[in-house]
Amino acid sequence: MNVLTDNWSTYWEGFLGTLELFAVSAVLALVLGVLIAGFRVSPVRPLRIFGTAWVTLLRNTPLTLLFFIVVLGLPRFDITLPFFTFAVLALGCYTSAFVCEVMRSGVGTVPVGQGEAARSLGMTFGQTMGMVVLPQAYRAVVAPLGSVLIALAKNTAIAGAFSVTELLGTYRTINELGYGIVWTFVWIAVGYLIITLAISAVFNVLERRVAVSR
């Protein structure tokens, strides 16, 4: 227990860093994921091609490699940003590909007649997606979307290797002070468990509310 109490400020800083990294990356992933999902079901062929290429490329690229591309590649084009921002870009873009596929599967559960009815009323594709299709698709994707965000929370651990303050990276500081490596990682694991259980609880509540509204 002294590993935690003696290093509480270090653990707390890492815990807050992970929460901040997760929150900002999740917002970016959700926005991009919904947008790319719209591209993938769009009647405009170039948008469908772009959406398919985005998902195919990112889903088949290791996240660590994507971090290297962002952190080492972007500065070569004179794009210099804080490491935290680089980490958000890597995590958000990577996770957006999975959010996109979850949303696209949800769109597939909406009866085709719903979209046809909306278009017959004169709605544009964007209005049909935003006002008719996506609100219904959301009901089918709450659980898998929660799983994607839980994976995102755990993926934030990679950012520690790129000079970003987060929970896993605290082990280096604590290890240098001579504390046992096993208990150091035990408390780190507890921190991640708290985060993932909280995300799971939120999505369980959302899922129950959606089930009632059906």
Side-chain angles (χ1 to χ4, degrees):
M1 191 70 179
N2 66 314
V3 175
L4 177 64
T5 55
D6 293 349
N7 300 280
W8 174 255
S9 60
T10 302
Y11 275 118
W12 182 244
E13 184 181 7
F15 184 79
L16 292 181
T18 292
L19 282 180
E20 183 181 8
L21 185 57
F22 164 76
V24 180
S25 300
V27 171
L28 177 61
L30 291 172
V31 171
L32 281 178
V34 172
L35 180 63
I36 299 300
F39 286 179
R40 293 213 64 185
V41 298
S42 170
V44 181
R45 188 166 182 268
L47 291 181
R48 291 200 308 273
I49 293 174
F50 178 83
T52 301
W54 179 277
V55 171
T56 302
L57 180 63
L58 290 175
R59 288 185 71 186
N60 293 285
T61 301
L63 181 54
T64 305
L65 177 59
L66 186 59
F67 263 91
F68 278 112
I69 292 172
V70 171
V71 174
L72 301 179
L74 292 183
R76 291 181 176 272
F77 297 94
D78 294 325
I79 301 176
T80 304
L81 300 169
F83 283 114
F84 179 86
T85 305
F86 280 138
V88 167
L89 288 175
L91 288 166
C93 291
Y94 178 79
T95 308
S96 71
F98 296 90
V99 172
C100 169
E101 290 302 274
V102 168
M103 293 303 302
R104 191 168 70 95
S105 67
V107 169
T109 66
V110 180
V112 178
Q114 297 283 333
E116 293 176 346
R119 286 191 294 273
S120 70
L121 293 174
M123 289 185 175
T124 64
F125 174 76
Q127 290 173 328
T128 300
M129 288 295 293
M131 301 173 65
V132 178
V133 177
L134 288 179
Q136 296 182 71
Y138 163 75
R139 297 179 177 181
V141 302
V142 173
L145 196 58
S147 298
V148 170
L149 293 184
I150 287 173
L152 169 61
K154 292 184 288 187
N155 285 339
T156 58
I158 298 176
F162 295 88
S163 303
V164 178
T165 300
E166 52 79 45
L167 190 55
L168 182 61
T170 60
Y171 87 89
R172 287 190 294 269
T173 302
I174 298 173
N175 225 25
E176 289 172 358
L177 296 175
Y179 290 91
I181 190 69
V182 174
W183 282 105
T184 299
F185 279 111
V186 165
W187 290 115
I188 289 174
V190 169
Y192 280 108
L193 186 62
I194 291 172
I195 294 172
T196 55
L197 288 178
I199 298 170
S200 180
V202 169
F203 276 86
N204 284 338
V205 171
L206 290 176
E207 192 172 13
R208 286 197 296 270
R209 288 186 177 182
V210 167
V212 171
S213 66
R214 287 179 177 174

